[in-house]
Amino acid sequence: MWIVRLALRRPYTFVVMALVIILLTPVALMRTPTDIFPEINIPVISLVWNYAGLQPQEMEQRITSNVERGLTTLVNDVEHIESQSLNGIAVIKVFFQPHANIQTALAQTAAISQTFLRFLPPGTTPPLVIIYSASTVPVIQIGLTSNTMSEQQLFDFGNYFIRTQLATIPGAATPFPYGGKQRVISVDIDAPSLQSKGLSAVDIVSAVNAQNLILPTGTAKLGPLEYNVEMNGSPQTIQELNDLPVKTINGATIYMKDVAHVRDGFSPQTNIVLANGQRGVLMSIYKTGGASTIDIVDRVKNMLEYNKGAFPKDLRVNLFFDQSLYVRASIQGVLREALIAACLTAIMILLFLGNWKSTLIIAVSIPLSILVSVLCLSALGETINIMTLGGLALAVGILVDDATVEIENINRNLAMGKDTVQAILDGAQQIAVPAFVSTLCICIVFIPMFFLSGVARYLFVPLAEAVSFAMLASYMWSRTIVPTLAMYLLTAEDEYHAEEHVGERMGFFRRYQQGFERKFEQFREAYQSALHTALHFPRLFTAAFLGFCIFSVLLVFVLGRDFFPKVDAGQIRLHLRARTGLRIEETARLADQVNSAIRETIPKEEITTLLDNIGVPYSGINLSYSNAGTIGTSDAEILVQLKAERGKSTAGYINDLRQRLPKEFPGVQFFFQPADIVTQILNFGTPAPIDVEITGINQRENYLVGEKLAAQMRHIPGAVDVHVHQAFDDPTLFMEIDRARAQSLGMQSRDVAQNVLVSLSSSFQTSPAFWLDPKNGVEYSVAVQEPQYRVDSYQALQNTPISGSAPGAAPQILGNLVQTHTTTRPAEVSHYTSVPMINVYAAVDGRDLGSVADQVLQRVAAIEKNGLPPGSHILVRGQVQTMKNSFEGLGFGLLGAIVLAYLCRALWPAFAGYCCSHIPR
């Protein structure tokens, strides 16, 4: 009661408090990130290892497995480890327990990585160590195209200019560009010339390293001055590199230009990007941490606009797949619905109370309660997202209860002839305890959510906080601002008594309100009659009620189960996989044919963007962030942006393509992956919502189990795009060195391997060299390699010159020292906590995720019953596991809320007595 007396005695205090809250809210909103979901903080540390030319199985056995064992030994609080080993690249992702100190883990991870360098193949460089969240997704993509600039120039400009500027945007992560060509100084070996002069690729590498020096010289004090001493240790132009001496034989000097050609070139292309049919470069911007998607996209656009004057004139910079548009639309949709709910609530109150002053007082308390909740959420570090806004929208209809009950009771006391202040005091006192307990019961319902774990906690705790803060604020305003406004606005004369105005002409609203009152009285009388009937036939009513409850419970088995509703963002993400080992040029040709089929299926006027990302990105950083499931140059990702006005839904076009493409392109796998930000976040790095993982040391047998399971899953209604992620048919030429013959010819296995490495994979991995371009100040790699177009036959490969390290050893050709035969190897090797893993992915269409997952589990159980390879296990993960864990947590939370609500009811007498003497009224 004291707080109501204080509000009446010092009314301006609470009016000023309300004004302060109104003024603080815009400041808090400007500083609070806005996003689609609350921050799902599942930290991941990723280690990216590179060793050019090392095959996937070798990467797995010699690098990945060694590092994984070290991580599990010396890094604390590891939850699990996932790894992916490709040709020349290994990506190891370390997931941690919720309570882990990520900074300590980062230091331990970096330390063990440096330590293990001594146990890895010679020439292995330290890994790139990245920290990000499992829910990190691309929020916008930047496309660079030009009619005059080469792919090398586009890659250079994106990598060395635009990417460095994007790095300053808070919360934005920008890996290396996709597509284009990586500029290198290519030393193209001429194998026949080397053979004719008795040289090999190793001799060229030695000459480059000996003649291209990056060493300081120092200073010289001559007379009164001290001179800086410079030397042309490193050539200034590419032509000077062509003039480098390689070797002197019998007094004749052999120059670089005699046996090779040095040019401004590029590394072998493994990634091609086409934007609407034109080759270019693609830069993906990822959101990390608690930054706002909208802020990141806006800052990216501002940065590009600010630096536009420094761009080459013919460079076209286009923005693709802007996820902030969807985030804005989602947030605006929730806000719009909340505003409609608030307006409808106010109208209903006006109809029931029939007094605009009372309605105004109640309508003021609703936004004030919401603003208090927003301030509290901002203070706790939460974001503005569909969960918090959804919670506030949910609370709108409940927020009016405290103020409505207060105002109605005040009006009742005014009608009894009391003066305004006394009516307010009596009205507040009479409903203080019931209103407080009612508010407390609503808040108690959300308490179990704070005991959730995993993803459910990140998603639903902010919603519970939003509702609870708003409800508590509503009670506080009903004790303060509502009595204050009532003191100034309400009087006994405001009550309208129809019997006192018989014969008087009423306005439209008064007539409508009186009509509403009459209809409501009729409804109340009908309800009383129904209640009277139910009380006269209690057994019949009880049986009917229990039957209705049982029927409702049985509906649970009919309703579908999805983690989140499906959304139509107008985006299609198609992944195609051709024959394993297909050259990237052939994959690009295939992708162009698929693009034509897409344009025939979807009217061209409905397509905004058609973007192809073909092959493997140049950097493992991109693979670390990506969830595309790419394993080689035979993979391609096609992104389609549709216009808002279109003849079919996105799902409709996807179904059309799903039916058409496999028929037109037999032997090519097609699967559609999530393109919208919501599904990508909820999949947590996997390319499909259902991920069946088969783990065990016997990879080949597990792969066969995976193929068998995939064949069965394809018959499950609603399961689509079922495929085994790994491939074990990567074409390989296996060279078996004849060590005895090599020894007799003065050769070692090391000589053969080094010469082949340089010829086919370049010298950069084991003998790095650099050249500084004086025009742009960028240092580029110098790569000695035989051009790929020259090794175009088995005979050309066999003619690779080999030189020995032993004195007097005569040069040989590769065919004299090795026996070569064809075989197949894994194109990609995956691990789950150091154990080899096979993934079977599946998407869902036309059914709910839970029903399809249940049938997948049945197929898994049947295969396990028939027997797995020794030591193998099958687990279903992905969004299915997240949904299952969340539903279990929410189910226990619901039971807990019911128990707490009944406890409140059971303890009501004692609790009410305590409240009467202690709570503010």
Side-chain angles (χ1 to χ4, degrees):
M1 195 68 175
W2 64 269
I3 194 169
V4 179
R5 293 184 183 277
L6 178 63
L8 297 179
R9 195 167 57 247
R10 300 180 181 275
Y12 296 121
T13 300
F14 294 98
V15 172
V16 171
M17 180 190 297
L19 292 175
V20 169
I21 288 173
I22 293 172
L23 293 174
L24 284 177
T25 302
V27 178
L29 287 175
M30 287 189 293
R31 298 185 177 183
T32 305
T34 304
D35 218 325
I36 193 72
F37 282 135
E39 181 185 358
I40 303 175
N41 186 21
I42 303 177
V44 181
I45 293 178
S46 181
L47 291 85
V48 181
W49 296 86
N50 292 278
Y51 201 105
L54 204 60
Q55 301 304 311
Q57 200 163 13
E58 291 286 307
M59 287 290 297
E60 176 232 359
Q61 295 171 347
R62 300 190 181 277
I63 295 180
T64 305
S65 295
N66 284 331
V67 175
E68 286 176 335
R69 286 190 284 268
L71 291 171
T72 54
T73 303
L74 300 174
V75 179
N76 298 331
D77 300 320
V78 174
E79 196 274 326
H80 76 274
I81 300 175
E82 297 178 9
S83 67
Q84 182 183 20
S85 301
L86 302 174
N87 193 329
I89 299 174
V91 178
I92 303 174
K93 298 179 181 179
V94 187
F95 295 76
F96 293 90
Q97 302 288 350
H99 62 274
N101 186 325
I102 198 63
Q103 301 305 322
T104 301
L106 182 63
Q108 292 173 332
T109 302
I112 189 62
S113 300
Q114 296 293 329
T115 302
F116 258 83
L117 284 175
R118 295 178 59 86
F119 304 96
L120 302 181
T124 304
T125 55
L128 301 170
V129 182
I130 310 164
I131 181 170
Y132 62 99
S133 171
S135 59
T136 297
V137 296
V139 294
I140 194 170
Q141 311 213 40
I142 304 173
L144 307 179
T145 56
S146 173
N147 292 329
T148 59
M149 297 174 67
S150 66
E151 289 185 84
Q152 293 147 275
Q153 292 172 318
L154 290 173
F155 184 92
D156 249 26
F157 191 80
N159 192 38
Y160 296 114
F161 182 79
I162 294 180
R163 193 168 70 91
T164 56
Q165 301 300 311
L166 292 172
T168 62
I169 296 176
T174 310
F176 280 75
Y178 289 92
K181 295 176 179 177
Q182 276 190 305
R183 184 186 179 191
V184 298
I185 305 306
S186 300
V187 182
D188 293 340
I189 298 171
D190 185 348
S193 298
L194 287 176
Q195 283 182 267
S196 66
K197 293 178 170 54
L199 301 177
S200 68
V202 173
D203 296 315
I204 304 299
V205 174
S206 300
V208 169
N209 290 334
Q211 302 290 348
N212 179 36
L213 301 176
I214 306 173
L215 293 174
T217 47
T219 63
K221 296 181 179 179
L222 305 178
L225 300 178
E226 184 173 3
Y227 291 86
N228 292 315
V229 178
E230 294 182 359
M231 186 180 296
N232 64 338
S234 178
Q236 297 295 305
T237 64
I238 294 177
Q239 183 55 44
E240 291 181 45
L241 289 170
N242 272 305
D243 293 333
L244 293 179
V246 176
K247 199 171 186 179
T248 300
I249 302 176
N250 298 326
T253 301
I254 301 172
Y255 293 93
M256 189 69 69
K257 59 188 176 185
D258 297 329
V259 290
H261 174 62
V262 184
R263 60 184 176 86
D264 189 348
F266 53 89
S267 60
Q269 193 168 17
T270 62
N271 191 200
I272 296 174
V273 165
L274 294 109
N276 294 320
Q278 184 176 14
R279 287 204 179 193
V281 165
L282 181 68
M283 305 182 70
S284 293
I285 313 300
Y286 290 81
K287 183 188 84 72
T288 61
S292 166
T293 296
I294 294 176
D295 288 345
I296 291 174
V297 172
D298 288 343
R299 287 171 179 167
V300 167
K301 293 178 180 178
N302 292 337
M303 187 280 295
L304 294 174
E305 185 64 28
Y306 179 79
N307 291 284
K308 192 175 181 179
F311 292 176
K313 292 183 179 179
D314 195 44
L315 177 67
R316 290 191 297 275
V317 180
N318 298 306
L319 299 177
F320 302 127
F321 304 97
D322 182 356
Q323 299 292 347
S324 71
L325 299 176
Y326 176 75
V327 175
R328 280 191 174 93
S330 300
I331 298 297
Q332 289 170 1
V334 177
L335 289 173
R336 183 173 57 252
E337 298 303 322
L339 181 60
I340 292 172
C343 293
L344 291 175
T345 302
I347 292 171
M348 290 303 297
I349 293 170
L350 183 59
L351 286 174
F352 275 98
L353 297 183
N355 188 324
W356 69 267
K357 294 181 181 180
S358 298
T359 303
L360 178 62
I361 295 172
I362 297 170
V364 167
S365 69
I366 296 176
L368 284 176
S369 302
I370 291 175
L371 295 184
V372 170
S373 181
V374 169
L375 289 175
C376 293
L377 291 170
S378 179
L380 291 176
E382 299 290 354
T383 63
I384 302 299
N385 53 74
I386 61 173
M387 301 302 293
T388 52
L389 290 178
L392 294 175
L394 173 69
V396 166
I398 312 173
L399 293 178
V400 300
D401 291 351
D402 291 326
T404 302
V405 173
E406 180 97 1
I407 287 295
E408 183 67 12
N409 208 37
I410 291 172
N411 283 327
R412 186 179 65 83
N413 280 273
L414 285 172
M416 295 168 63
K418 299 179 182 180
D419 65 89
T420 303
V421 173
Q422 190 60 42
I424 292 172
L425 291 173
D426 291 347
Q429 183 181 19
Q430 292 160 2
I431 56 93
V433 174
F436 179 74
V437 174
S438 173
T439 301
L440 201 60
C441 284
I442 294 173
C443 295
I444 283 175
V445 168
F446 291 96
I447 286 179
M449 287 192 178
F450 292 90
F451 295 96
L452 295 174
S453 60
V455 176
R457 178 180 180 83
Y458 292 113
L459 289 176
F460 295 106
V461 165
L463 182 146
E465 291 174 342
V467 176
S468 300
F469 290 145
M471 290 303 304
L472 294 174
S474 172
Y475 181 80
M476 185 267 293
W477 291 126
S478 72
R479 304 284 92 193
T480 54
I481 200 71
V482 169
T484 300
L485 294 177
M487 182 176 64
Y488 286 108
L489 296 178
L490 297 184
T491 62
E493 289 74 19
D494 290 328
E495 284 296 305
Y496 182 84
H497 302 282
E499 64 275 6
E500 298 176 3
H501 301 273
V502 176
E504 294 182 9
R505 183 179 181 182
M506 292 184 293
F508 170 78
F509 174 75
R510 181 59 64 186
R511 291 198 307 271
Y512 189 86
Q513 200 272 335
Q514 288 297 312
F516 176 81
E517 287 285 350
R518 287 192 297 270
K519 294 292 184 183
F520 184 74
E521 284 298 325
Q522 295 174 6
F523 171 78
R524 184 159 55 182
E525 291 173 1
Y527 171 73
Q528 288 176 346
S529 176
L531 182 60
H532 182 75
T533 303
L535 293 175
H536 272 72
F537 302 97
R539 293 183 179 180
L540 178 62
F541 174 77
T542 303
F545 177 74
L546 290 176
F548 177 78
C549 292
I550 294 172
F551 175 74
S552 300
V553 171
L554 292 176
L555 288 177
V556 172
F557 301 99
V558 179
L559 293 175
R561 287 167 294 147
D562 277 310
F563 194 25
F564 262 76
K566 294 181 175 63
V567 297
D568 187 347
Q571 298 173 355
I572 298 175
R573 186 180 177 197
L574 170 64
H575 193 105
L576 69 86
R577 178 173 295 170
R579 174 185 175 186
T580 309
L582 191 69
R583 293 171 52 171
I584 192 168
E585 299 87 354
E586 297 300 320
T587 308
R589 187 176 295 110
L590 174 63
D592 187 58
Q593 296 172 0
V594 173
N595 287 340
S596 300
I598 291 174
R599 290 189 179 96
E600 292 174 4
T601 304
I602 305 174
K604 62 180 181 180
E605 61 272 10
E606 296 184 11
I607 297 177
T608 301
T609 304
L610 193 59
L611 189 67
D612 297 346
N613 191 350
I614 304 164
V616 183
Y618 297 113
S619 173
I621 298 177
N622 299 56
L623 289 174
S624 185
Y625 284 117
S626 173
N627 60 359
T630 298
I631 64 172
T633 55
S634 58
D635 285 78
E637 186 178 73
I638 301 176
L639 300 172
V640 184
Q641 177 68 61
L642 303 177
K643 291 184 178 179
E645 299 80 19
R646 50 184 181 272
K648 278 187 179 181
S649 65
T650 305
Y653 284 128
I654 288 176
N655 287 331
D656 292 344
L657 292 171
R658 192 176 274 135
Q659 297 296 323
R660 174 177 179 173
L661 294 178
K663 296 176 182 177
E664 291 192 17
F665 304 94
V668 179
Q669 295 184 63
F670 295 95
F671 32 93
F672 292 86
Q673 297 175 337
D676 61 280
I677 187 172
V678 171
T679 313
Q680 288 189 62
I681 290 174
L682 296 178
N683 280 354
F684 296 103
T686 59
I690 298 177
D691 176 14
V692 183
E693 298 178 356
I694 307 169
T695 56
I697 58 174
N698 197 325
Q699 298 180 57
R700 290 280 180 178
E701 290 189 22
N702 286 342
Y703 177 77
L704 297 177
V705 171
E707 288 284 4
K708 179 181 178 181
L709 177 61
Q712 295 182 10
M713 289 171 58
R714 291 187 183 101
H715 293 92
I716 296 176
V720 294
D721 303 329
V722 181
H723 65 281
V724 179
H725 173 63
Q726 288 76 15
F728 279 72
D729 57 349
D730 197 18
T732 303
L733 292 175
F734 182 78
M735 295 182 177
E736 186 176 357
I737 302 174
D738 187 339
R739 288 180 170 82
R741 178 171 175 78
Q743 181 71 31
S744 67
L745 297 173
M747 303 281 181
Q748 303 291 335
S749 297
R750 179 184 57 193
D751 301 323
V752 179
Q754 284 183 341
N755 280 275
V756 172
L757 170 67
V758 172
S759 295
L760 302 183
S761 295
S762 89
S763 61
F764 184 75
Q765 184 66 50
T766 54
S767 301
F770 302 92
W771 177 78
L772 178 66
D773 188 341
K775 294 180 180 179
N776 60 12
V778 177
E779 200 170 52
Y780 296 95
S781 305
V782 179
V784 179
Q785 183 177 359
E786 188 167 3
Q788 287 187 326
Y789 65 85
R790 288 182 183 168
V791 188
D792 57 354
S793 65
Y794 180 77
Q795 188 60 47
L797 179 63
Q798 294 291 87
N799 287 338
T800 300
I802 308 294
S803 62
S805 56
Q812 300 291 328
I813 60 172
L814 181 63
N816 294 340
L817 305 173
V818 300
Q819 294 290 327
T820 305
H821 61 270
T822 59
T823 185
T824 57
R825 292 283 187 263
E828 188 258 9
V829 180
S830 299
H831 281 186
Y832 189 91
T833 312
S834 303
V835 180
M837 173 176 65
I838 301 297
N839 299 89
V840 182
Y841 292 126
V844 177
D845 181 61
R847 288 184 72 190
D848 62 286
L849 178 59
S851 299
V852 175
D854 288 342
Q855 292 193 272
V856 169
L857 289 171
Q858 293 174 7
R859 303 298 195 281
V860 169
I863 287 181
E864 288 178 328
K865 185 177 180 180
N866 294 332
L868 292 173
S872 296
H873 304 278
I874 303 181
L875 290 173
V876 179
R877 291 194 173 93
Q879 191 182 135
V880 171
Q881 184 186 39
T882 304
M883 181 183 73
K884 178 176 177 292
N885 294 339
S886 299
F887 281 9
E888 288 177 354
L890 291 172
F892 285 117
L894 177 61
L895 292 176
I898 293 173
V899 171
L900 288 173
Y902 276 103
L903 285 176
C904 282
R905 179 66 185 89
L907 299 174
W908 165 259
F911 189 63
Y914 176 84
C915 290
C916 286
S917 58
H918 289 82
I919 69 165
R921 290 180 289 172

